[in-house]
Amino acid sequence: MKKPRLIITNILVFVITGLIAFVGVPYWAMTQGFDTTEIVTTLVLFYATGMSITAGYHRLWSHKTYDAHPVVKVVLAIGGAMALQNSILHWSSDHRVHHRHVDEDDKDPYSAGKGLWFSHIGWMLREYQSHRYDDYSNCKDLQKDKVVMWQHNHYLPIVLIANFGLTGFLGWLNGDIFSMILLAGVFRLVAVHHVTFFINSLAHYWGSQPYTDTNSARDNGILAFFTFGEGYHNFHHIFEYDYRNGIRWYQFDPTKWLIKGLSFVGLTKNLRTCPEERIEKARAAMQLKRASQKVSKLPNAEEVMQTLQKEYDVLLQKMTDYYTTKKRIMNLRKKHLMRSMERLELDLKYKELKHSLVLQKEKWLKVSQLEVQFA
Ligand SMILES: [Zn+2]
Ligand SMILES: [Zn+2]
């Protein structure tokens, strides 16, 4: 089959910026050197433009996981343009197709099934999806967003002014325009390109699948460190409307911290999270699935399966009881309807249910890992 036409502009951008970053910058570093201001500026812009993609393009516009103040939107739109990954509208359209048709090689624009190279960068080098270029029917909501359309309609000037104008100006302030453009402009751009591309490539190959194995997305703490928190991609693909990717406090997710941090000063609001109960149940269902696969190979499979199913059912029931009571308490508290007797009773029940759930979780962990002896 004939391959689609090459997209020369994209190839030139990747090759030229790549050569400058991998050859030009090391050469300059050895012969001229970079000063501290240039290095710090590069780091700051690396985070600012990378997180414009993760917090802006991805979590704000593609998935609408929170609402942002217009000022935040404009900053994210400019920062995202500086990361040179097409307009918000185009990026989000691709990304929504990626979620809807994940791993379907003929529909997912960067399907991991077509290989690591393809999902990383290959998909942008040829006109694989020319038929749907300019079809933004899955982004009607974004077409009503003034900031999105302003960025889309003036994409090239914004890209050029932000990338060269801003870094050039900072270089002028620092006394060396060329050196600043080289490091904070081009080198930073290439670094942001590849770490964000990792989310489509490595995050679909390398890591664990604690929530679902129906798609290739993985959770990976190491990758999260390099991708502004987006390495928790298994969670993201099942709960895409959650503003967090790393849901535990110890999981590295600076994008989540940024969104949450801005909410304290009123710049972001309506942060959406998936109910804890659903997350816990998804995790347990995955553990049951894994355990069942292992059990099927045992000689006494049927018997073990029965125990497994029984403990799983108990676990789910205990989760339901616990979270229902928790919700009730929260609702009563919100409405200030709690009478002291009722509160005492409910609090007591809540504590009991919590304790009982913890015990059952411990038991379930052993049972599902087949650590318990089955007679
Ligand atoms: Zn996504
Ligand atoms: Zn993905």
Side-chain angles (χ1 to χ4, degrees):
M1 206 180 77
K2 220 174 142 248
K3 283 189 171 178
R5 259 205 344 217
L6 290 165
I7 306 175
I8 302 299
T9 324
N10 289 4
I11 294 173
L12 282 178
V13 167
F14 290 131
V15 170
I16 294 170
T17 56
L19 277 175
I20 295 173
F22 293 112
V23 182
V25 169
Y27 174 77
W28 193 265
M30 282 185 293
T31 53
Q32 310 290 322
F34 293 105
D35 69 16
T36 316
T37 312
E38 286 160 349
I39 293 167
V40 171
T41 309
T42 303
L43 264 175
V44 170
L45 283 182
F46 170 74
Y47 264 85
T49 56
M51 297 224 287
S52 293
I53 294 293
T54 60
Y57 275 46
H58 190 212
R59 300 191 201 182
L60 174 65
W61 282 298
S62 298
H63 295 301
K64 316 214 94 183
T65 65
Y66 66 100
D67 297 326
H69 189 278
V71 171
V72 176
K73 282 187 178 182
V74 171
V75 172
L76 293 173
I78 294 172
M82 258 186 105
L84 198 58
Q85 308 199 357
N86 220 323
S87 70
I88 299 160
L89 186 64
H90 193 93
W91 197 104
S92 300
S93 174
D94 276 350
H95 194 70
R96 286 179 183 181
V97 179
H98 168 62
H99 272 264
R100 179 172 277 250
H101 297 288
V102 62
D103 296 326
E104 290 176 38
D105 286 351
D106 54 333
K107 286 188 183 142
D108 181 350
Y110 23 87
S111 181
K114 290 170 90 172
L116 204 57
W117 170 259
F118 179 86
S119 56
H120 188 73
I121 196 168
W123 67 278
M124 289 174 275
L125 304 183
R126 287 179 185 276
E127 286 173 350
Y128 290 103
Q129 36 165 357
S130 53
H131 58 284
R132 55 170 302 275
Y133 206 89
D134 285 349
D135 169 22
Y136 301 124
S137 52
N138 63 349
C139 290
K140 291 215 169 78
D141 54 321
L142 298 184
Q143 292 180 44
K144 289 180 204 142
D145 187 319
K146 283 195 185 108
V147 177
V148 170
M149 292 320 289
W150 163 75
Q151 197 233 33
H152 186 73
N153 293 328
H154 305 89
Y155 183 66
L156 199 60
I158 298 173
V159 164
L160 294 175
I161 293 170
N163 269 299
F164 294 105
L166 179 65
T167 51
F169 175 68
L170 293 171
W172 174 73
L173 285 180
N174 194 42
D176 191 338
I177 296 176
F178 182 78
S179 188
M180 185 67 92
I181 290 181
L182 204 59
L183 199 67
V186 185
F187 183 80
R188 182 267 320 154
L189 173 69
V190 173
V192 169
H193 265 167
H194 290 282
V195 295
T196 44
F197 297 167
F198 279 156
I199 304 158
N200 297 334
S201 56
L202 284 179
H204 278 267
Y205 276 88
W206 177 33
S208 60
Q209 295 179 297
Y211 300 100
T212 178
D213 64 356
T214 54
N215 65 65
S216 59
R218 311 288 160 125
D219 268 19
N220 186 326
I222 301 170
L223 211 53
F225 184 75
F226 294 101
T227 54
F228 317 101
E230 306 261 75
Y232 298 101
H233 208 54
N234 188 254
F235 175 84
H236 174 63
H237 263 275
I238 181 167
F239 302 116
E240 62 192 63
Y241 299 112
D242 198 309
Y243 84 95
R244 310 160 301 172
N245 276 13
I247 51 166
R248 311 273 169 230
W249 66 266
Y250 53 83
Q251 289 176 326
F252 186 82
D253 188 353
T255 304
K256 167 186 77 177
W257 299 328
L258 175 73
I259 297 167
K260 183 80 183 167
L262 289 176
S263 76
F264 293 128
V265 287
L267 288 174
T268 59
K269 57 179 192 226
N270 302 330
L271 277 51
R272 291 163 77 188
T273 53
C274 182
E276 182 75 19
E277 184 177 354
R278 271 185 56 206
I279 299 172
E280 291 268 316
K281 285 184 176 173
R283 195 183 256 282
M286 197 57 232
Q287 286 160 344
L288 175 70
K289 190 173 176 183
R290 283 230 169 82
S292 314
Q293 285 160 355
K294 271 194 248 168
V295 166
S296 63
K297 291 178 195 126
L298 297 176
N300 55 342
E302 208 170 305
E303 214 178 306
V304 181
M305 201 53 227
Q306 269 175 11
T307 314
L308 202 62
Q309 190 64 49
K310 195 187 111 215
E311 294 302 334
Y312 177 74
D313 291 342
V314 173
L315 179 73
L316 281 207
Q317 190 54 53
K318 283 186 190 289
M319 279 181 182
T320 307
D321 294 345
Y322 168 73
Y323 285 108
T324 314
T325 310
K326 192 176 177 181
K327 229 180 280 166
R328 237 182 102 199
I329 294 180
M330 303 274 253
N331 277 340
L332 286 172
R333 248 183 222 157
K334 233 184 263 167
K335 293 178 195 154
H336 303 290
L337 281 176
M338 206 90 113
R339 275 167 297 146
S340 54
M341 261 321 278
E342 199 180 5
R343 183 188 307 181
L344 270 178
E345 256 172 51
L346 261 180
D347 276 351
L348 204 66
K349 189 178 169 196
Y350 174 75
K351 270 181 200 144
E352 271 170 24
L353 288 171
K354 190 175 181 177
H355 181 65
S356 164
L357 177 59
V358 169
L359 291 180
Q360 182 62 18
K361 269 191 193 167
E362 279 168 13
K363 191 174 178 191
W364 168 248
L365 213 61
K366 284 185 189 145
V367 174
S368 63
Q369 287 173 352
L370 309 186
E371 278 174 17
V372 194
Q373 284 300 312
F374 293 100

